[in-house]
Amino acid sequence: WQQNSNQAMDNCDLSKLTVKPGKLVPKFSPKVTEYTVTLPTDVAETKFGPLTSDNGASYTIKGIAGGEKTLKLDEGQAVTVAFEVTAEDGKSNKAYEVTVRRLSPDDASLASLDLSMGGLSPKFSSLKLSYTCHVPCSVDSLSVKAKPEDASMKVTFGNGSPLSPVALAPGATRIDVAVSSPKGTKTVHYIIKVVRNAIQYPMTFTSGTDHMKYACTVCCNTVHRPLKMKESTQLYCHACCMELTRTNKTNPFTGESLVDDWSEECFDIDQELASSNVRCILEGNQKVEGTASEIGKLVRHTRTLKKEEDPSINCPQCSCKFPAVDKSLHENLICSSKHPAELPKHHYEVSVWEKQLRKETGEDKPDPLMKEAESFEKSYLKIIISVSVTSRDSPIGPLTNAMSLVAAAIKTTPKNAQYHVKLGNLLEESFYVGDMYGIKEEKQENEEPEEGEDRTTDDSKEDDFLAICQLRGVGPGAPLALQLKAVEAEYLALKDGGQTMKAEQVQLLYAWKSKRALQESQGSYSGESVGPLARALQKYRDAVGVSPTNHLAQYHLGRLLLLVGKSPEALPHLKAAVAAKPGHTESRLCLGIAMATEKQSVPEAAVLLREGLAEYQSCASETAETKVDATRGTLLADDFWRQSNLLISKGFIELARLGGRNWLDKQTCLLLACRFVWTVPFHHRGTTYKQLLWYWAEARYILQRCSPKDVSLELCCTFSSLLDHVDIDATQRLSEMKLNTCRDRVSQDPWSSEALYLLGRAQSSCFEAKEDDPELLNSAEKSFRASIACEGKSSAQDGTPNGLSTQEWWKKKVAGDVKSNTSAAKNVSSTPKSGSTAKTGANPPVASVKKGPTSQKAPTKPVASSKSSSQATPTGKMASNTKTPTSATKGPVAKTPIRKGQSRPCDTKAKNVAATADTNAQQKQSITSPKPTTASSQPSQTQKEANPTIPDSAAKKKIGIINKKSYNPRLGLARVLIKKGGASVDEAVDLYKEVISMAPHVHDAYIELGEVLVKKSPLEAVEIYSKFPFSSEESFDDGYLYGEISRILLAEEKFGDPWLQRSLIALGRVLGIGVLEKQFAVLEAKFQTNLLKNVTAGIHGKPVDDSSLQAFFKYKCWI
């Protein structure tokens, strides 16, 4: 009783606070202490009505003369009134503040702002002027409701028209709500950006020519929320552009850094697009036509129409029930009487990690354990929705608890397959948490490592590897090629110094890092033998082992095996899953992907792919048409139809390779596959992101190769630049993709200096990936020389540049074109003209693609990649004894460390193009322009009839641009000549010097030229390095040059050279004084104490006679 009495005596809350006239914002609550009240212009006073919660408490009013309850205000005046409440005990108190403002005839503001659909973000406040609202794609209009704070204020749209329903663009619509003061002296604009979800079906334009006008540069689909980079012409989807530039803040087409306010949302283009007539093709080949603004609503209406369900039949042999349309599929693949399952036998055995995972609860019944695990799973899902880098609540704890409880339930009932599947789902989720969100599970101190897992030494090896790199002037953020080069240099130095044991340790580090890079380039999906995915696979196998007829067990095992690249092993399990439950669409789609990957039963595989991907489109469209907030109600392993599921992207690409089926034709599949990586919100760019990025590259590559020539040229131009910009690892397949893309571009624009340069670079990269083809190196040289020779000339010329016409691939292409055109002419001449009509009109868009060149088969097994390597892997004595990653190329392609958000200068097109002296005579080649002699130069009417993709404008003289002079082809040619060696090295030296004169900021030219000169004249290399225009503030990019200068001067014992002191100081400032341990040892051995003191003082930015430094010098015996 006494405790309750004390609590009552210290109550200092108000139970009620009223104001008349006026309204408290927010609504009164005893726990809220700050409020605002806005009075109209014609209201001069208001009265407050406070009431304490405790009768024994008291209050005083401050801010009103005499402590009265009535407040009088002048026009435009604002007064803060405080209500100080004192509890009965006389000690406890609380203050409530109300800010009252009386409007003046010159004020203009809104009291409320609402939309008929969707909510405002942030929450409305009269002081906030910008808002965003997200609505489903099926909403094509909405109404705006705006209430002014004073009835005498006027509310209109920004253009002065009265408020009325607003028609929405397919992307973003900018709504300007203007409120004017009673006197008309002030107008305030409230801006609402209404964003519609993107429609999930590719749109084609009825006019044909509009697709490329409104196509996104990245995903090739009709642009959604069009956006441009300032001073750039390329058009992007908002999501594509934001993801493209999230970590690399440079323009992929100019190489220029993106500064503040670099993006510009194109509302005018969105409005143009809104009135364009478009068409969408849905399931069952249903065509929906209308304007781009209303197509989302029309698609929604069409999809909601009832569809007839396919009848089911029973198999007389195996008594299995399946849809009638699957009769052929069932008889050829599934029927157990004709195709008995050959599943590998598996027996459940408790592993070490599962024993450690079990949570000791004392509970011996599984149901309470599973119920508690479900509770932790819900907690995890609630946290993961809002997880971010700065989030305090980690989802790992609830997820781990859920796994522990399920493992404990398995201990009580080991024969329950459902429990094994649930644990497998949770283990998969733990992988995605690290891979997609960047949240790693902390290792337990008492956890025993699994077989094949060397957890204790990896961190120490990485530390040792980075320490050696720093000793050589290479930081931890440098490209892998530069790091490996530094470690190799340390190995050679130790070996030459007779320190054999240390050299062998360094060699082991080199081998370890190379092997690890190879594994990372292949991706965790396919490469891990231990970890969450491997454990999930084990649990799915356990589930199949205890219950071979369990549909979910077979499905999840087959799905995960397919995901990690083991499609042959996945096939029997997926067949068993489909046989157990024929109507399970997820199992059917996975089976179709596995069959297509293994080239088995192609017609049936195409049917399964089409059905499954149609179901995905239906699910994705339902979400886009009805929801605006991303929610998660299940684990990712159970959410098969999510956009981040790699099997969806893979399914679209596999169906495209099979030519597509019905409404999901080849081009539609490719356009859909190009979307995923740019629309999935990744918190962390792990293996899932990189694999989706690879699928995007595959889909873009196939799309451009099967597009009409005019479309293909534009796609080639953008694709080659985007490949250099995105975070995708260098592999032999990627090199071949770049090479074929550049060949396609040069085939259509042979006099473009930039196209020839990119071709030469791609040829050089391909040579580095497979050094058994000298023809590639010779072709690269010819391409670079042709690029240089085309500078200053128009790109619109007849004939072929000399350096291009002598390349073998070009000769084969010309011969193939002649043969193809001759065959086409014969076919046209033999076709009767009567009774046939030719369609005329605009060129077909990407969605109406003709079959194009097929010089190379599309890849069947793209490999997931992880950012582990650079553009080059050094060769040398160590490389001969070490298995290095095949994904890394060789040679001096990437040497200069790159700061985050910057691109390498030598790889940037149209950047820092210098207008210097003409190229030396020995670097130029004469260009011949012979008259066209083949039918491919100027298409005849006969050829046009045979190939309708040839536009009428092809017969006209095309308008080109003047090729600018650039250092890029000269740098590329110099690198090729260095690879060739011999007499070519002297020409390469001259080219490097020319690059330095044209673009003095390019680190690579100095580094590579210095490496050539140091073999003959080390001091001449120092002279080259010292010519670099170092900035006043040392940067990481300069560290390598400073390191080489100091190394050479110390080796030559040029202690008096001023560059030695300067480079040592700069190196110490950039990488820390600890990096100079070896250099200081050399100087101490040579008694160069004055130099040591000057360097130490320079690094610390203090004079040599500083008292603190003097003490250090005495300790080191330098004075």
Side-chain angles (χ1 to χ4, degrees):
W1 173 86
Q2 185 174 2
Q3 183 178 2
N4 294 334
S5 177
N6 291 336
Q7 289 177 352
M9 294 182 65
D10 63 5
N11 188 338
C12 54
D13 290 338
L14 286 178
S15 63
K16 186 177 181 181
L17 179 60
T18 61
V19 54
K20 294 182 179 180
K23 181 181 179 181
L24 289 175
V25 179
K27 187 178 180 180
F28 177 77
S29 170
K31 297 180 180 180
V32 179
T33 58
E34 294 183 359
Y35 302 88
T36 60
V37 176
T38 302
L39 300 178
T41 307
D42 56 355
V43 177
E45 64 180 35
T46 187
K47 186 176 182 180
F48 293 98
L51 180 66
T52 60
S53 297
D54 182 12
N55 292 333
S58 61
Y59 66 85
T60 57
I61 302 176
K62 294 184 178 181
I64 304 178
E68 299 292 332
K69 297 181 180 179
T70 301
L71 174 66
K72 297 182 179 181
L73 299 98
D74 298 326
E75 290 183 350
Q77 184 181 8
V79 176
T80 299
V81 180
F83 299 87
E84 293 186 356
V85 184
T86 303
E88 186 177 358
D89 61 5
K91 299 178 182 179
S92 304
N93 56 72
K94 180 187 289 188
Y96 293 83
E97 291 186 352
V98 181
T99 301
V100 185
R101 181 171 68 95
R102 179 185 175 186
L103 299 174
S104 75
D106 295 320
D107 286 332
S109 58
L110 291 179
S112 64
L113 182 61
D114 298 295
L115 301 176
S116 59
M117 175 66 70
L120 296 179
S121 178
K123 189 177 180 180
F124 176 76
S125 168
S126 60
L127 301 178
K128 297 176 182 177
L129 303 181
S130 296
Y131 301 90
T132 301
C133 173
H134 291 268
V135 297
C137 65
S138 56
V139 177
D140 61 350
S141 65
L142 51 75
S143 300
V144 180
K145 299 178 183 179
K147 181 181 178 181
E149 290 191 306
D150 193 322
S152 59
M153 297 176 182
K154 184 180 180 181
V155 180
T156 64
F157 283 130
N159 58 8
S161 61
L163 298 184
S164 60
V166 179
L168 300 179
T173 304
R174 187 176 183 270
I175 301 177
D176 183 354
V177 179
V179 54
S180 301
S181 63
K183 286 186 177 181
T185 57
K186 181 180 180 181
T187 301
V188 176
H189 294 267
Y190 291 82
I191 307 299
I192 308 172
K193 183 165 62 176
V194 182
V195 180
R196 294 173 71 181
N197 290 343
I199 189 170
Q200 296 301 300
Y201 294 90
M203 294 188 294
T204 57
F205 292 80
T206 56
S207 62
T209 57
D210 285 339
H211 185 86
M212 292 310 297
K213 177 182 178 182
Y214 295 116
C216 172
T217 304
V218 177
C219 71
C220 298
N221 286 266
T222 302
V223 69
H224 179 252
R225 296 182 65 185
L227 181 146
K228 288 183 179 179
M229 299 180 186
K230 288 187 177 179
E231 300 181 0
S232 182
T233 59
Q234 285 78 22
L235 195 64
Y236 303 87
C237 294
H238 184 275
C240 294
C241 190
M242 292 297 103
E243 184 62 33
L244 184 70
T245 58
R246 184 152 68 105
T247 57
N248 189 351
K249 294 294 182 182
T250 57
N251 188 319
F253 298 96
T254 65
E256 296 178 355
S257 298
L258 301 176
V259 295
D260 296 338
D261 299 327
W262 56 269
S263 63
E264 180 180 6
E265 205 157 357
C266 306
F267 294 102
D268 54 339
I269 295 179
D270 225 341
Q271 290 298 328
E272 287 179 21
L273 180 61
S275 59
S276 301
N277 293 320
V278 298
R279 178 189 302 113
C280 288
I281 303 179
L282 314 185
E283 299 90 334
N285 291 326
Q286 299 179 88
K287 293 183 180 179
V288 181
E289 294 187 3
T291 63
S293 177
E294 64 184 5
I295 195 69
K297 183 177 181 179
L298 296 174
V299 167
R300 174 64 178 169
H301 173 73
T302 305
R303 291 184 58 257
T304 54
L305 298 177
K306 291 185 178 180
K307 303 174 184 178
E308 295 183 2
E309 296 184 1
D310 295 329
S312 299
I313 59 176
N314 290 318
C315 176
Q317 283 81 19
C318 65
S319 301
C320 179
K321 187 177 181 180
F322 56 86
V325 294
D326 290 349
K327 183 176 181 181
S328 174
L329 172 68
H330 179 81
E331 292 177 350
N332 295 335
L333 291 173
I334 307 299
C335 183
S336 58
S337 62
K338 297 180 181 180
H339 310 280
E342 298 179 358
L343 298 174
K345 294 183 179 180
H346 177 79
H347 299 285
Y348 169 54
E349 293 182 2
V350 183
S351 59
V352 174
W353 63 265
E354 188 175 350
K355 290 180 181 178
Q356 296 172 341
L357 186 61
R358 289 173 179 170
K359 188 173 184 179
E360 295 298 334
T361 61
E363 180 65 56
D364 58 354
K365 295 182 179 180
D367 289 345
L369 293 171
M370 294 299 294
K371 187 174 181 179
E372 188 177 357
E374 183 180 357
S375 175
F376 277 113
E377 181 183 330
K378 290 180 179 178
S379 300
Y380 160 78
L381 292 173
K382 185 177 180 180
I383 296 173
I384 201 67
I385 292 175
S386 57
V387 72
S388 64
V389 178
T390 58
S391 178
R392 293 183 178 181
D393 296 330
S394 173
I396 294 294
L399 185 62
T400 303
N401 287 333
M403 289 190 291
S404 299
L405 290 166
V406 175
I410 293 175
K411 181 181 179 181
T412 63
T413 316
K415 296 295 184 180
N416 192 316
Q418 181 181 352
Y419 297 166
H420 291 280
V421 170
K422 172 56 74 173
L423 183 53
N425 292 164
L426 292 167
L427 287 164
E428 265 196 83
E429 189 71 24
S430 68
F431 168 79
Y432 293 127
V433 168
D435 188 64
M436 297 175 64
Y437 295 91
I439 304 173
K440 300 294 185 181
E441 181 181 2
E442 295 183 2
K443 300 295 182 181
Q444 302 296 326
E445 293 182 0
N446 59 348
E447 185 176 348
E448 298 179 13
E450 298 180 53
E451 184 179 355
E453 183 180 17
D454 188 12
R455 182 188 310 156
T456 57
T457 58
D458 276 5
D459 292 340
S460 60
K461 286 180 180 179
E462 183 70 19
D463 292 340
D464 293 343
F465 181 85
L466 294 177
I468 295 175
C469 291
Q470 284 200 329
L471 287 175
R472 288 285 168 177
V474 178
L480 179 63
L482 201 57
Q483 292 179 338
L484 291 175
K485 184 177 179 63
V487 175
E488 182 182 23
E490 179 69 10
Y491 163 78
L492 294 174
L494 291 172
K495 191 174 181 180
D496 293 341
Q499 302 182 54
T500 307
M501 293 186 64
K502 288 187 177 181
E504 289 178 352
Q505 293 175 354
V506 173
Q507 187 180 32
L508 291 174
L509 280 177
Y510 186 101
W512 168 82
K513 186 67 174 180
S514 300
K515 182 179 179 181
R516 185 176 180 182
L518 175 61
Q519 291 176 345
E520 291 179 352
S521 70
Q522 294 174 342
S524 298
Y525 275 60
S526 59
E528 72 165 22
S529 57
V530 294
L533 282 188
R535 293 176 177 182
L537 269 176
Q538 181 180 339
K539 292 318 298 174
Y540 294 146
R541 286 193 173 98
D542 291 342
V544 170
V546 299
S547 180
T549 59
N550 186 286
H551 159 256
L552 280 179
Q554 295 285 7
Y555 157 67
H556 280 296
L557 178 56
R559 175 189 58 80
L560 190 52
L561 286 170
L562 185 61
L563 192 63
V564 299
K566 299 179 180 179
S567 52
E569 188 178 348
L571 265 172
H573 296 287
L574 293 171
K575 288 181 181 180
V578 173
K581 193 173 182 181
H584 191 248
T585 313
E586 294 92 325
S587 299
R588 295 165 64 87
L589 177 56
C590 289
L591 178 58
I593 296 173
M595 291 164 57
T597 303
E598 297 302 313
K599 304 295 186 293
Q600 293 186 11
S601 305
V602 171
E604 288 82 2
V607 171
L608 292 173
L609 288 169
R610 178 182 59 80
E611 290 177 355
L613 295 174
E615 178 65 20
Y616 163 77
Q617 281 298 108
S618 178
C619 294
S621 297
E622 182 67 23
T623 301
E625 293 163 4
T626 59
K627 299 179 181 179
V628 293
D629 297 324
T631 57
R632 276 189 61 184
T634 184
L635 301 174
L636 293 182
D638 287 328
D639 186 9
F640 185 84
W641 303 115
R642 55 189 165 85
Q643 287 186 325
S644 61
N645 187 356
L646 296 180
L647 295 178
I648 302 295
S649 296
K650 183 176 177 60
F652 277 117
I653 293 178
E654 292 296 341
L655 184 56
R657 288 185 178 132
L658 298 180
R661 285 297 185 276
N662 299 332
W663 69 279
L664 278 176
D665 58 17
K666 183 174 184 178
Q667 293 72 40
T668 300
C669 291
L670 294 173
L671 288 172
L672 291 171
C674 286
R675 285 182 172 182
F676 294 103
V677 69
W678 311 110
T679 56
V680 177
F682 284 98
H683 295 267
H684 175 68
R685 291 184 168 184
T687 304
T688 304
Y689 170 83
K690 290 181 179 295
Q691 187 66 73
L692 281 177
L693 188 62
W694 179 260
Y695 285 147
W696 163 80
E698 287 281 2
R700 273 292 305 254
Y701 175 69
I702 300 172
L703 183 63
Q704 75 188 21
R705 304 213 84 196
C706 65
S707 296
K709 288 186 177 180
D710 54 339
V711 175
S712 178
L713 176 59
E714 187 168 348
L715 294 179
C716 288
C717 292
T718 56
F719 187 49
S720 57
S721 298
L722 291 172
L723 282 178
D724 290 331
H725 183 85
V726 298
D727 183 20
I728 187 168
D729 287 326
T731 62
Q732 183 174 335
R733 170 61 187 153
L734 183 65
S735 298
E736 293 172 354
M737 192 183 295
K738 289 183 178 180
L739 178 60
N740 290 328
T741 298
C742 293
R743 283 176 175 175
D744 291 343
R745 180 176 176 183
V746 170
S747 297
Q748 300 174 69
D749 199 9
W751 287 91
S752 169
S753 180
E754 181 189 25
L756 289 167
Y757 155 68
L758 292 174
L759 174 61
R761 195 178 65 174
Q763 290 166 331
S764 179
S765 177
C766 251
F767 169 78
E768 291 161 0
K770 47 179 182 180
E771 295 183 342
D772 57 346
D773 191 356
E775 178 59 31
L776 281 172
L777 195 61
N778 293 331
S779 297
E781 179 183 358
K782 294 176 182 179
S783 298
F784 287 132
R785 291 191 186 277
S787 175
I788 295 171
C790 287
E791 292 175 346
K793 299 179 181 179
S794 172
S795 62
Q797 297 189 48
D798 296 328
T800 308
N802 188 36
L804 178 62
S805 60
T806 57
Q807 296 187 29
E808 289 300 320
W809 74 270
W810 181 266
K811 294 178 183 178
K812 294 178 181 178
K813 173 195 171 299
V814 172
D817 288 347
V818 173
K819 183 178 180 180
S820 176
N821 290 328
T822 302
S823 176
K826 289 180 179 180
N827 292 336
V828 171
S829 63
S830 62
T831 302
K833 296 184 179 179
S834 61
S836 62
T837 58
K839 293 182 180 180
T840 60
N843 296 332
V846 171
S848 302
V849 175
K850 305 290 181 181
K851 188 174 181 180
T854 56
S855 61
Q856 179 175 345
K857 293 182 179 180
T860 58
K861 294 182 179 180
V863 180
S865 60
S866 176
K867 186 70 176 178
S868 62
S869 65
S870 60
Q871 304 297 323
T873 299
T875 58
K877 296 181 180 180
M878 289 182 66
S880 62
N881 299 326
T882 307
K883 183 176 181 180
T884 57
T886 58
S887 61
T889 56
K890 300 180 181 180
V893 176
K895 292 185 174 60
T896 306
I898 307 174
R899 285 193 297 267
K900 186 176 182 180
Q902 293 186 347
S903 61
R904 186 172 299 286
C906 65
D907 290 342
T908 304
K909 302 176 297 299
K911 181 180 179 183
N912 299 309
V913 177
T916 58
D918 292 335
T919 313
N920 296 334
Q922 64 179 0
Q923 299 167 0
K924 289 187 175 181
Q925 288 187 350
S926 60
I927 305 298
T928 60
S929 302
K931 297 293 181 182
T933 59
T934 66
S936 61
S937 298
Q938 294 291 339
S940 65
Q941 184 63 28
T942 301
Q943 295 167 18
K944 287 185 184 181
E945 294 174 0
N947 186 2
T949 63
I950 299 178
D952 293 336
S953 58
K956 301 178 182 179
K957 185 175 180 63
K958 65 177 182 178
I959 300 175
I961 60 173
I962 302 300
N963 293 309
K964 295 181 179 180
K965 191 173 183 179
S966 171
Y967 70 87
N968 282 320
R970 292 165 176 79
L971 186 59
L973 179 57
R975 288 168 171 166
V976 169
L977 295 176
I978 291 297
K979 290 184 180 72
K980 298 184 76 172
S984 302
V985 174
D986 293 336
E987 183 182 356
V989 170
D990 293 336
L991 284 169
Y992 278 124
K993 291 180 179 179
E994 186 178 1
V995 170
I996 290 173
S997 65
M998 293 176 67
H1001 63 280
V1002 179
H1003 287 82
D1004 286 22
Y1006 297 87
I1007 295 173
E1008 293 167 22
L1009 177 56
E1011 288 180 346
V1012 175
L1013 297 176
V1014 75
K1015 299 174 182 178
K1016 296 181 179 179
S1017 176
L1019 295 180
E1020 190 176 351
V1022 172
E1023 183 181 353
I1024 293 296
Y1025 292 143
S1026 60
K1027 288 181 179 179
F1028 183 83
F1030 294 102
S1031 58
S1032 56
E1033 295 184 2
E1034 296 83 2
S1035 67
F1036 179 73
D1037 290 333
D1038 303 334
Y1040 188 88
L1041 294 176
Y1042 283 127
E1044 287 299 291
I1045 292 174
S1046 61
R1047 183 183 64 80
I1048 295 173
L1049 291 177
L1050 284 173
E1052 298 293 321
E1053 298 189 357
K1054 299 293 182 180
F1055 304 119
D1057 193 308
W1059 271 101
L1060 178 57
Q1061 178 174 319
R1062 176 179 173 179
S1063 62
L1064 288 174
I1065 292 174
L1067 196 61
R1069 287 178 177 174
V1070 173
L1071 299 175
I1073 195 170
V1075 173
L1076 303 178
E1077 181 181 354
K1078 287 190 174 182
Q1079 291 89 330
F1080 276 21
V1082 173
L1083 293 176
E1084 286 179 334
K1086 299 295 182 179
F1087 304 104
Q1088 299 294 321
T1089 54
N1090 288 333
L1091 181 56
L1092 286 167
K1093 290 187 291 183
N1094 291 334
V1095 170
T1096 304
I1099 292 173
H1100 291 88
K1102 298 180 179 180
V1104 176
D1105 56 359
D1106 182 83
S1107 58
S1108 60
L1109 290 180
Q1110 287 293 316
F1112 176 74
F1113 295 158
K1114 288 181 180 179
Y1115 170 76
K1116 299 291 290 184
C1117 300
W1118 293 349
I1119 55 175

